[in-house]
Amino acid sequence: MRQFNIVVFAIIMIFFAGGCSPKNKKVKVDLTNTDWSVCKSGDEKKYPAEIPGCIHTDLMNSGVIEDPFYRTNDLDVQWIDKEDWVYTTSFIADKAMMSKNNVDIVFEGIDTFADVFINDSLVGKTKNMFRTWKWDIKPYLKKGGNSLKVYIHSPIKKGIELYDSYDFVYNATFLDQSEIGGVGDKKVAAHMRKAQYQFGWDWGPRLVTSGIWKPVYIKAFNDVSIEHVAFSTTKIQQNKAIVKMQANCLSDDNQQAQARVFINNTLYAEKTISLNKGENNFMDTLIVENPDLWWPRGHGEQPMYNAKLEVTTKKTRTMKEETFGIRTVELVREKDNQKTSLFHHPDSSGVSIYFKINGKPVFAKGANIIPLDNFVTRPSKAKYDSVIQDALDANMNMLRVWGGGIYEYDYFYDRCSEEGILVWQDFMFACKMYPGNQKMLNNIAHEVKDNVIRLRNQPSVVLWCGNNEILGAWFNWGWSKQIEEKYGKETADRIWNEYKAIFHETIPNTLDSLNVDEPYWSSSPSAGMGNLETLDNGDMHYWGVFWGNDTFEDYRKMTGRFMSEYGFQSFPAMHSLKKFALPQDLHADSEVMLSHQRSMHKHDNIMKWYNMYYPKAKDFESFVYASQVLQADGMKIAMESHRAAMPYCMGSLYWQLNDCWPAVSWSSVDFYGRWKAFHYLTKKAYQPLIIVPLVKNNQLSVKVVSDSTQTVKAKVVVKTLTFLGDVRFNKELNVELPANTSTQVLNIDKEQLNVKN
């Protein structure tokens, strides 16, 4: 075991005789697995409820509704989100719990608008799916049996109330167009801090859930409680890592305490701290000698450190444990004059955007990930393991958690940290303008704080991103003009100022208050704070293929500095189609097949490119297979072009890795875990070493891309052959490939290849 130098603080140490007597021992009562029931408000009929869970899965488990993913069953369950639902259980408050000064109930996640009652007394209200909610319940407890009720309001009714409080409508797109109580979902979703994809997207159904979707428990303590502790690396230099420790404690009194830090079970530092009654924040700087650095996959190992903070007073001793990795992150934004030769751009200057981990540039190879299921509590750890393994098997080193879903579960980030997968983390805002009144800003600040505190010990998380596509929508999709024409310039200015209040002030200011070291990127795509994307500056979402009229070949010239979205649709495999459809549904224009295709153009865009590249399929099964080959061929061009453009382009994250239900979509792995042809070609395109040939302007250019951290010597053989196998051109090249870059090894006139046009 590595031994660490103990940092000696210039503070007179005070030793305490505190311990963990029964009187001061913490109490935690898990209410997650107690006997919960749920009923519709005003209805006496109760059903067993799973916590964590949601109303849809509870009703499915009781046989009230059929599987919404089968055929068109999702259309039959749209009544559920118009109702209020009441979850109830009971628990025992024993002598140990009642003896504590502090007794709190903690809900790590309630979806979304709820009133919480203990023994029929209101203890708190919720208004954000993504926040942790905690209330002091000691005044409401009685020794022995106690009742707990969570009354969850219809999100649609609540959304309409909020919508009706405005005299204008916030812009939105990609949501289901169905009218709910006279108000389209896309108009009410913006007013709710709730997973936006539940309202329908162009790859998913409209299934607006309610429920207690994360653990709930009671915690009770006397004297002191450590609420959270974080370890982050601020600098690595001369075989030393500067590690910042930040902690938050609650204290019953003004008092002094001894704080000790252990790393890998070795006492590392100790000091006295002064605690005030209530909440306390304190930090320290530690020096780790000869650290084992955490690296992204393909660049090194992923060692993790075990750390423990122990706080001792005269009355009690309490501790908090965490794991962390030692690594630094930089988002490099430098003006340059990079060119990409024959592949893409003429001479131009721009601004780079790429990640340096521990001072080394990393080309990001990966995909966007959406929630694994429309019912977010259903995926098991095995399901998450499978998705992570799909990414690893395809040679990925980054996943972008997209902003219209959820902040993923701890287990997802744990697995990414264990495997060296970098995480681009969006905050949960996507494709609409959001209210920025003070109540909403306060709500958002709490949401940011809760989730950053939860995730900041994960070395995998390397970027916090404000939103998905809102900046571009406001300026490039005509939203600003639409608002000004309909409501006037004053309203347009108000909405834009609210955008800035959320993404240019509230979120970054909250990150600053938490002393976050990872970079913040206000909107994807963009060229920086409030600046629109361009080919030579910032990250880019390129949708000229599929949503426009560009061809697959245009991926070669439409390559920006960091490609954070691009994609093309295909059908899932026939085996997957048969799991949600009957034999009579298995044709492209069936009601069921069109229902599981949520693009506004249905299959038209697939057919447009299919007819451009392929002959007519002989039957539906052949078409399904060919749609996957079509998708794979196009995405291969994109991925290889992005990598060949290194270091001009330093990231390629396609849309999308997975599905949230069985669908015709952009995924490379379908809902049931079956790889499409796309994923097999992703594995090849993201290999550590690839060759990318291109014939352009009567010239053959060959590039070799290497992810190796070392210079590689290689032999490259370039041949042209006839279909009969006759060799017309044969050239061997002994090349030296620099680490982690793209190298042009051949540029030759086409005529020299001895091939006919």
Side-chain angles (χ1 to χ4, degrees):
M1 179 179 293
R2 180 181 299 276
Q3 298 297 313
F4 297 90
N5 291 346
I6 296 178
V7 180
V8 180
F9 294 87
I11 296 175
I12 298 174
M13 305 308 300
I14 301 176
F15 294 92
F16 298 82
C20 293
S21 65
K23 179 180 178 182
N24 291 321
K25 189 175 181 180
K26 287 184 178 180
V27 172
K28 183 174 181 180
V29 177
D30 185 5
L31 301 179
T32 301
N33 297 313
T34 56
D35 291 329
W36 285 85
S37 63
V38 64
C39 67
K40 185 168 63 174
S41 176
D43 193 336
E44 294 182 358
K45 175 65 175 177
K46 292 187 176 182
Y47 306 100
E50 289 186 345
I51 306 296
C54 77
I55 186 57
H56 288 75
T57 53
D58 289 334
L59 295 178
M60 268 190 282
N61 292 338
S62 292
V64 178
I65 63 172
E66 301 294 328
D67 178 6
F69 290 0
Y70 187 69
R71 303 193 79 215
T72 60
N73 285 348
D74 62 300
L75 303 179
D76 298 329
V77 298
Q78 297 304 311
W79 59 273
I80 295 173
D81 56 47
K82 320 305 184 297
E83 302 290 344
D84 297 350
W85 297 94
V86 185
Y87 286 81
T88 55
T89 191
S90 60
F91 62 91
I92 301 296
D94 60 13
K95 181 179 178 180
M97 181 187 294
M98 297 298 290
S99 69
K100 303 305 179 188
N101 298 328
N102 308 278
V103 185
D104 296 328
I105 191 166
V106 180
F107 288 85
E108 293 188 357
I110 298 181
D111 182 10
T112 293
F113 298 98
D115 303 330
V116 178
F117 298 85
I118 299 287
N119 298 324
D120 295 324
S121 294
L122 178 66
V123 299
K125 292 175 174 285
T126 73
K127 55 185 176 181
N128 189 322
M129 176 181 179
F130 306 121
R131 284 177 59 179
T132 296
W133 299 92
K134 182 179 74 171
W135 301 283
D136 175 15
I137 61 170
K138 187 165 184 180
Y140 310 102
L141 289 180
K142 58 185 180 181
K143 188 175 180 181
N146 292 262
S147 66
L148 170 60
K149 179 173 72 174
V150 181
Y151 187 106
I152 303 182
H153 298 269
S154 159
I156 299 305
K157 291 178 182 177
K158 281 290 186 180
I160 291 174
E161 288 178 14
L162 293 167
Y163 166 84
D164 286 342
S165 66
Y166 288 81
D167 56 4
F168 59 88
V169 179
Y170 287 90
N171 312 73
T173 192
F174 285 135
L175 296 178
D176 193 285
Q177 301 298 309
S178 59
E179 293 293 315
I180 307 301
V183 180
D185 277 0
K186 68 176 184 176
K187 300 173 184 177
V188 302
H191 298 274
M192 291 180 263
R193 295 308 304 137
K194 179 174 175 61
Q196 301 290 278
Y197 82 113
Q198 293 181 357
F199 296 88
W201 221 263
D202 53 359
W203 34 257
R206 182 194 179 283
L207 292 166
V208 184
T209 65
S210 294
I212 303 169
W213 73 289
K214 285 192 172 183
V216 53
Y217 50 88
I218 295 171
K219 66 175 187 177
F221 69 94
N222 285 335
D223 198 32
V224 171
S225 173
I226 303 172
E227 296 297 285
H228 48 84
V229 60
F231 297 85
S232 59
T233 310
T234 59
K235 187 180 294 186
I236 299 171
Q237 60 182 14
Q238 298 176 346
N239 297 319
K240 294 181 180 180
I242 311 301
V243 176
K244 177 173 59 185
M245 183 201 73
Q246 301 178 83
N248 177 276
C249 288
L250 299 178
S251 177
D252 282 350
D253 297 297
N254 298 328
Q255 58 184 320
Q256 286 192 316
Q258 183 181 20
R260 301 200 297 171
V261 179
F262 297 83
I263 298 179
N264 288 0
N265 295 320
T266 299
L267 177 62
Y268 195 72
E270 56 184 350
K271 64 182 296 184
T272 53
I273 55 175
S274 295
L275 298 177
N276 297 318
K277 184 177 182 179
E279 186 174 4
N280 297 266
N281 293 295
F282 61 94
M283 65 173 61
D284 225 323
T285 299
L286 313 175
I287 299 175
V288 178
E289 303 280 356
N290 300 313
D292 292 325
L293 302 185
W294 186 97
W295 291 95
R297 194 168 188 86
H299 292 260
E301 300 300 317
Q302 294 80 43
M304 298 291 287
Y305 285 80
N306 297 309
K308 179 174 68 175
L309 172 65
E310 181 183 275
V311 174
T312 305
T313 69
K314 293 180 179 179
K315 298 178 182 178
T316 189
R317 179 184 298 120
T318 186
M319 64 187 65
K320 184 81 171 178
E321 296 187 53
E322 291 287 353
T323 60
F324 71 99
I326 293 180
R327 60 97 180 99
T328 58
V329 180
E330 301 170 68
L331 189 67
V332 180
R333 305 280 290 136
E334 295 176 343
K335 289 185 178 181
D336 60 25
N337 195 33
Q338 295 284 355
K339 297 180 291 183
T340 56
S341 187
L342 286 176
F343 279 74
H344 308 285
H345 300 275
D347 292 353
S348 65
S349 61
V351 180
S352 68
I353 173 172
Y354 65 92
F355 292 92
K356 275 187 177 181
I357 308 297
N358 303 328
K360 302 291 182 65
V362 174
F363 186 98
K365 302 181 298 184
N368 290 259
I369 188 170
I370 63 174
L372 274 55
D373 198 302
N374 260 87
F375 308 124
V376 295
T377 59
R378 282 206 304 192
S380 63
K381 288 184 177 180
K383 175 76 170 179
Y384 276 96
D385 287 338
S386 178
V387 172
I388 294 295
Q389 195 59 51
D390 289 335
L392 297 173
D393 289 344
N395 297 302
M396 296 185 187
N397 62 17
M398 177 176 277
L399 293 173
R400 175 185 174 221
V401 178
W402 169 74
I406 61 170
Y407 302 95
E408 278 294 350
Y409 293 100
D410 291 352
Y411 187 73
F412 168 79
Y413 301 97
D414 289 342
R415 296 290 289 116
C416 288
S417 293
E418 290 167 5
E419 299 291 353
I421 297 178
L422 304 174
V423 175
W424 169 313
Q425 178 65 56
D426 281 6
F427 290 103
M428 293 300 114
F429 301 86
C431 297
K432 62 183 64 63
M433 304 304 289
Y434 291 85
N437 57 67
Q438 195 57 52
K439 285 185 178 180
M440 178 66 94
L441 295 178
N442 291 341
N443 197 5
I444 291 168
H446 281 291
E447 172 187 326
V448 171
K449 182 178 179 180
D450 285 352
N451 286 283
V452 171
I453 285 173
R454 178 170 67 91
L455 301 178
R456 63 183 176 178
N457 282 307
Q458 299 284 0
S460 54
V461 178
V462 295
L463 184 75
W464 304 99
C465 179
N467 69 72
N468 175 76
E469 296 187 341
I470 304 177
L471 176 69
W474 182 252
F475 288 109
N476 286 343
W477 298 1
W479 284 8
S480 175
K481 184 178 180 181
Q482 292 167 13
I483 291 292
E484 188 168 341
E485 289 177 349
K486 190 169 183 177
Y487 301 108
K489 187 176 185 305
E490 183 177 349
T491 299
D493 289 343
R494 170 183 170 175
I495 292 175
W496 173 242
N497 287 332
E498 289 178 338
Y499 173 94
K500 291 192 292 184
I502 296 171
F503 302 109
H504 296 179
E505 297 170 14
T506 298
I507 293 179
N509 290 347
T510 304
L511 293 173
D512 288 345
S513 73
L514 296 171
N515 297 296
V516 169
D517 293 304
E518 292 79 28
Y520 173 67
W521 192 246
S522 61
S523 183
S524 178
S526 73
M529 192 82 82
N531 298 315
L532 292 171
E533 64 175 332
T534 68
L535 274 171
D536 59 7
N537 189 349
D539 75 311
M540 184 176 185
H541 294 190
Y542 174 52
W543 286 105
V545 179
F546 195 83
W547 288 116
N549 293 307
D550 293 353
T551 66
F552 288 151
E553 287 71 24
D554 286 310
Y555 279 124
R556 295 191 171 100
K557 61 184 179 183
M558 296 301 292
T559 293
R561 309 309 297 260
F562 195 110
M563 303 301 293
S564 47
E565 271 194 34
Y566 58 95
F568 195 86
Q569 281 195 341
S570 74
F571 281 68
M574 284 297 293
H575 288 296
S576 294
L577 293 174
K578 291 176 180 178
K579 289 181 72 69
F580 69 85
L582 293 173
Q584 62 263 33
D585 303 324
L586 297 176
H587 60 92
D589 295 326
S590 72
E591 180 185 13
V592 169
M593 215 53 59
L594 291 174
S595 181
H596 286 255
Q597 160 63 282
R598 292 305 170 104
S599 165
M600 67 181 70
H601 299 303
K602 297 302 181 182
H603 306 319
D604 291 351
N605 284 13
I606 296 177
M607 293 305 304
K608 181 168 68 174
W609 275 268
Y610 185 95
N611 294 331
M612 186 185 304
Y613 289 100
Y614 294 161
K616 184 177 180 180
K618 65 179 181 180
D619 53 32
F620 180 64
E621 185 168 356
S622 299
F623 169 70
V624 166
Y625 173 76
S627 78
Q628 290 197 13
V629 176
L630 176 71
Q631 179 192 39
D633 283 346
M635 293 299 95
K636 179 175 182 288
I637 292 172
M639 290 182 286
E640 290 183 348
S641 297
H642 301 160
R643 294 192 67 196
M646 291 173 67
Y648 185 92
C649 176
M650 285 296 287
S652 183
L653 308 178
Y654 65 77
W655 186 270
Q656 64 208 59
L657 175 61
N658 64 303
D659 281 322
C660 65
W661 82 317
V664 181
S665 82
W666 291 266
S667 68
S668 62
V669 180
D670 73 25
F671 179 72
Y672 301 108
R674 291 188 174 94
W675 285 23
K676 298 181 180 179
F678 176 12
H679 207 74
Y680 287 98
L681 285 192
T682 298
K683 182 176 182 177
K684 293 183 178 180
Y686 283 167
Q687 288 181 114
L689 191 69
I690 64 169
I691 298 175
V692 185
L694 174 68
V695 176
K696 183 177 180 181
N697 298 330
N698 290 316
Q699 287 187 303
L700 169 67
S701 176
V702 178
K703 285 192 171 185
V704 181
V705 183
S706 173
D707 280 348
S708 173
T709 57
Q710 306 293 327
T711 298
V712 175
K713 292 183 178 180
K715 180 170 73 174
V716 178
V717 179
V718 181
K719 290 184 180 182
T720 60
L721 299 89
T722 67
F723 283 108
L724 296 176
D726 298 329
V727 177
R728 295 294 181 85
F729 177 86
N730 188 352
K731 188 176 183 66
E732 293 187 2
L733 303 166
N734 292 312
V735 298
E736 191 170 272
L737 307 173
N740 199 30
T741 194
S742 171
T743 303
Q744 184 167 290
V745 298
L746 183 66
N747 188 25
I748 189 172
D749 290 338
K750 184 178 176 182
E751 288 75 13
Q752 298 180 49
L753 302 177
N754 297 320
V755 296
K756 296 181 180 180
N757 289 326

Short mmCIF file of all heavy atoms in Angstrom, two decimals, residues 224 249-251 253-257 273-277 280 282 311 313:
data_model
loop_
_atom_site.label_atom_id
_atom_site.label_comp_id
_atom_site.label_asym_id
_atom_site.label_seq_id
_atom_site.Cartn_x
_atom_site.Cartn_y
_atom_site.Cartn_z
N VAL A 224 -23.12 16.24 15.74
CA VAL A 224 -22.50 16.60 14.46
C VAL A 224 -22.82 15.56 13.40
O VAL A 224 -22.87 14.36 13.69
CB VAL A 224 -20.96 16.73 14.61
CG1 VAL A 224 -20.29 16.88 13.25
CG2 VAL A 224 -20.59 17.92 15.48
N CYS A 249 -20.61 20.21 7.22
CA CYS A 249 -21.04 19.58 8.47
C CYS A 249 -22.20 20.34 9.08
O CYS A 249 -22.29 21.56 8.96
CB CYS A 249 -19.89 19.56 9.49
SG CYS A 249 -18.59 18.41 9.13
N LEU A 250 -23.05 19.61 9.78
CA LEU A 250 -24.09 20.21 10.60
C LEU A 250 -23.70 20.03 12.07
O LEU A 250 -23.21 18.97 12.46
CB LEU A 250 -25.44 19.54 10.34
CG LEU A 250 -26.00 19.65 8.93
CD1 LEU A 250 -27.31 18.89 8.84
CD2 LEU A 250 -26.18 21.09 8.50
N SER A 251 -23.92 21.04 12.86
CA SER A 251 -23.56 20.98 14.28
C SER A 251 -24.70 21.51 15.13
O SER A 251 -25.35 22.51 14.78
CB SER A 251 -22.29 21.79 14.55
OG SER A 251 -21.97 21.80 15.92
N ASP A 253 -24.23 22.75 18.12
CA ASP A 253 -23.75 23.84 18.97
C ASP A 253 -22.53 24.50 18.34
O ASP A 253 -21.91 23.97 17.42
CB ASP A 253 -23.34 23.31 20.35
CG ASP A 253 -24.51 22.70 21.11
OD1 ASP A 253 -25.45 23.45 21.40
OD2 ASP A 253 -24.47 21.48 21.37
N ASN A 254 -22.18 25.67 18.87
CA ASN A 254 -20.88 26.27 18.58
C ASN A 254 -19.84 25.47 19.36
O ASN A 254 -19.91 25.37 20.58
CB ASN A 254 -20.84 27.73 19.02
CG ASN A 254 -21.86 28.59 18.29
OD1 ASN A 254 -22.17 28.33 17.13
ND2 ASN A 254 -22.38 29.61 18.96
N GLN A 255 -18.90 24.90 18.64
CA GLN A 255 -17.92 24.05 19.33
C GLN A 255 -16.70 23.83 18.45
O GLN A 255 -16.71 24.09 17.24
CB GLN A 255 -18.55 22.70 19.67
CG GLN A 255 -19.08 21.92 18.48
CD GLN A 255 -19.77 20.64 18.88
OE1 GLN A 255 -19.31 19.93 19.76
NE2 GLN A 255 -20.88 20.32 18.22
N GLN A 256 -15.64 23.36 19.09
CA GLN A 256 -14.45 22.98 18.35
C GLN A 256 -14.45 21.47 18.15
O GLN A 256 -15.03 20.71 18.93
CB GLN A 256 -13.19 23.41 19.10
CG GLN A 256 -12.92 24.91 19.02
CD GLN A 256 -11.53 25.24 19.51
OE1 GLN A 256 -11.09 24.73 20.53
NE2 GLN A 256 -10.84 26.10 18.77
N ALA A 257 -13.78 21.06 17.05
CA ALA A 257 -13.72 19.64 16.72
C ALA A 257 -12.37 19.34 16.09
O ALA A 257 -11.66 20.24 15.62
CB ALA A 257 -14.85 19.26 15.77
N ILE A 273 -10.98 22.44 13.91
CA ILE A 273 -11.90 23.31 13.19
C ILE A 273 -12.91 23.87 14.19
O ILE A 273 -13.21 23.25 15.21
CB ILE A 273 -12.65 22.56 12.07
CG1 ILE A 273 -13.37 21.32 12.61
CG2 ILE A 273 -11.69 22.17 10.95
CD1 ILE A 273 -14.22 20.59 11.59
N SER A 274 -13.41 25.04 13.91
CA SER A 274 -14.44 25.66 14.73
C SER A 274 -15.77 25.51 14.02
O SER A 274 -15.92 25.96 12.88
CB SER A 274 -14.13 27.14 14.96
OG SER A 274 -12.94 27.29 15.72
N LEU A 275 -16.71 24.87 14.69
CA LEU A 275 -18.03 24.66 14.12
C LEU A 275 -19.03 25.63 14.74
O LEU A 275 -19.05 25.81 15.96
CB LEU A 275 -18.50 23.22 14.38
CG LEU A 275 -17.64 22.10 13.76
CD1 LEU A 275 -18.20 20.74 14.18
CD2 LEU A 275 -17.60 22.22 12.24
N ASN A 276 -19.84 26.24 13.89
CA ASN A 276 -20.94 27.06 14.36
C ASN A 276 -22.21 26.22 14.40
O ASN A 276 -22.33 25.21 13.71
CB ASN A 276 -21.14 28.26 13.43
CG ASN A 276 -19.95 29.18 13.41
OD1 ASN A 276 -19.36 29.47 14.45
ND2 ASN A 276 -19.58 29.65 12.23
N LYS A 277 -23.14 26.64 15.21
CA LYS A 277 -24.41 25.94 15.25
C LYS A 277 -25.07 26.05 13.88
O LYS A 277 -25.19 27.13 13.31
CB LYS A 277 -25.30 26.55 16.32
CG LYS A 277 -26.63 25.82 16.49
CD LYS A 277 -27.46 26.40 17.63
CE LYS A 277 -28.76 25.63 17.81
NZ LYS A 277 -29.57 26.16 18.93
N ASN A 280 -21.95 24.20 8.35
CA ASN A 280 -20.55 24.62 8.31
C ASN A 280 -19.89 24.07 7.05
O ASN A 280 -20.08 22.90 6.70
CB ASN A 280 -19.78 24.10 9.52
CG ASN A 280 -20.31 24.64 10.82
OD1 ASN A 280 -19.81 25.64 11.34
ND2 ASN A 280 -21.34 24.00 11.37
N PHE A 282 -16.01 23.81 5.28
CA PHE A 282 -14.57 24.05 5.44
C PHE A 282 -13.81 23.27 4.39
O PHE A 282 -14.31 22.31 3.80
CB PHE A 282 -14.10 23.69 6.85
CG PHE A 282 -14.30 22.25 7.25
CD1 PHE A 282 -13.29 21.31 7.07
CD2 PHE A 282 -15.49 21.83 7.83
CE1 PHE A 282 -13.46 20.00 7.45
CE2 PHE A 282 -15.68 20.51 8.22
CZ PHE A 282 -14.66 19.59 8.03
N VAL A 311 -14.66 13.53 11.98
CA VAL A 311 -14.81 14.72 12.81
C VAL A 311 -15.18 14.27 14.23
O VAL A 311 -16.16 13.54 14.42
CB VAL A 311 -15.88 15.67 12.25
CG1 VAL A 311 -16.12 16.83 13.21
CG2 VAL A 311 -15.46 16.20 10.88
N THR A 313 -15.82 15.48 18.27
CA THR A 313 -16.06 16.52 19.28
C THR A 313 -15.95 15.88 20.66
O THR A 313 -15.62 14.69 20.80
CB THR A 313 -17.46 17.13 19.10
OG1 THR A 313 -18.44 16.15 19.47
CG2 THR A 313 -17.71 17.58 17.67
#
